[in-house]
Amino acid sequence: MSAAEETPGAEDMPWGEVTPEAARRLLVAAVEAFAERGYHATTTRDIAGRAGMSPAALYIHYKTKEELLHRISRIGHDKALEILRASADGDGTAAERLADAVRSFVRWHAERHTTARVVQYELDALGPEHRAEIIELRRESDATVRRLLEEGAAAGEFDVLDVSGTAVAVLSLCIDVSRWFNTQGRRTADEIGVLYADLVLRMVGAQK
């Protein structure tokens, strides 16, 4: 399945924030190539060919292959953080907000599994400056989950001895869905989201 049409229920125009259209096509092609072959095994010629363009056309929009990966990673991490914050800052108890955060986060990683694999697992291919930028976004996602856990513990809803370690475990559990999710599998993205939300609430000792 391509990054342009990963699953029903996802955005009608993936990467619609990327303009002009030629730049968007190249980015979609890069996601597919990186997910299939890995960043280092993918050439700019591979990407341009998938987009139906010449290699020279790629450099009109992206100076390097690494710049393409950075754009993909930045947009993906911004979206992941937006999903977590929307739930964390919403209404309801800490348990309700944590469950909503996990459901939404898992659903995105399942629905956009091709994209998410590149976003989450090609971090080390980025240059030092870009890598530092993305790591900061990951820290903000971690802080959002930690805040939810701390609020739940303070309210007596959760029994968590190690907030930092538990936050890492929660995020790792959700992110890993992108590595194995199959649209032809036994469970839908929504069903996995519900399952994982229940597992996480059990993990943090949420009071029924």
Side-chain angles (χ1 to χ4, degrees):
M1 178 176 288
S2 75
E5 49 184 16
E6 288 186 274
T7 191
E11 299 88 351
D12 291 334
M13 178 60 75
W15 308 101
E17 62 269 68
V18 178
T19 57
E21 173 61 16
R24 190 189 75 84
R25 282 168 50 200
L26 285 164
L27 190 141
V28 168
V31 169
E32 294 171 359
F34 294 158
E36 180 181 314
R37 306 187 63 184
Y39 174 81
H40 292 294
T42 298
T43 66
T44 53
R45 184 175 294 275
D46 294 331
I47 296 168
R50 285 173 183 261
M53 301 165 70
S54 70
L58 185 148
Y59 295 108
I60 295 173
H61 303 285
Y62 302 99
K63 295 177 183 177
T64 64
K65 184 176 70 167
E66 193 268 353
E67 183 180 321
L68 250 174
L69 177 62
H70 171 249
R71 189 78 192 278
I72 293 164
S73 191
R74 177 71 204 221
I75 293 173
H77 278 87
D78 279 341
K79 182 61 179 178
L81 181 57
E82 175 189 320
I83 289 168
L84 291 172
R85 283 179 170 168
S87 297
D89 297 337
D91 297 326
T93 65
E96 290 168 341
R97 288 181 285 128
L98 179 60
D100 185 65
V102 170
R103 279 193 300 269
S104 300
F105 202 57
V106 165
R107 187 167 58 243
W108 185 80
H109 281 82
E111 288 178 343
R112 291 284 171 220
H113 54 98
T114 303
T115 295
R117 281 201 305 276
V118 176
V119 168
Q120 299 291 1
Y121 294 111
E122 292 287 1
L123 177 65
D124 288 341
L126 292 171
E129 184 177 344
H130 287 159
R131 188 174 188 276
E133 176 188 316
I134 299 305
I135 286 176
E136 181 56 35
L137 289 173
R138 291 167 82 101
R139 285 176 178 152
E140 291 182 36
S141 291
D142 181 77
T144 301
V145 175
R146 278 192 283 111
R147 172 164 60 89
L148 272 172
L149 296 177
E150 288 165 354
E151 290 175 1
E157 295 181 52
F158 303 155
D159 181 13
V160 181
L161 296 178
D162 184 342
V163 169
S164 295
T166 303
V168 170
V170 170
L171 288 168
S172 298
L173 185 69
C174 297
I175 287 169
D176 194 56
V177 170
S178 66
R179 187 180 56 78
W180 57 261
F181 182 75
N182 186 335
T183 54
Q184 305 303 314
R186 190 161 56 91
R187 288 191 172 96
T188 66
D190 283 332
E191 289 170 340
I192 294 170
V194 171
L195 171 65
Y196 275 41
D198 179 67
L199 290 174
V200 167
L201 289 180
R202 292 172 185 271
M203 181 192 301
V204 301
Q207 301 300 312
K208 295 293 184 181

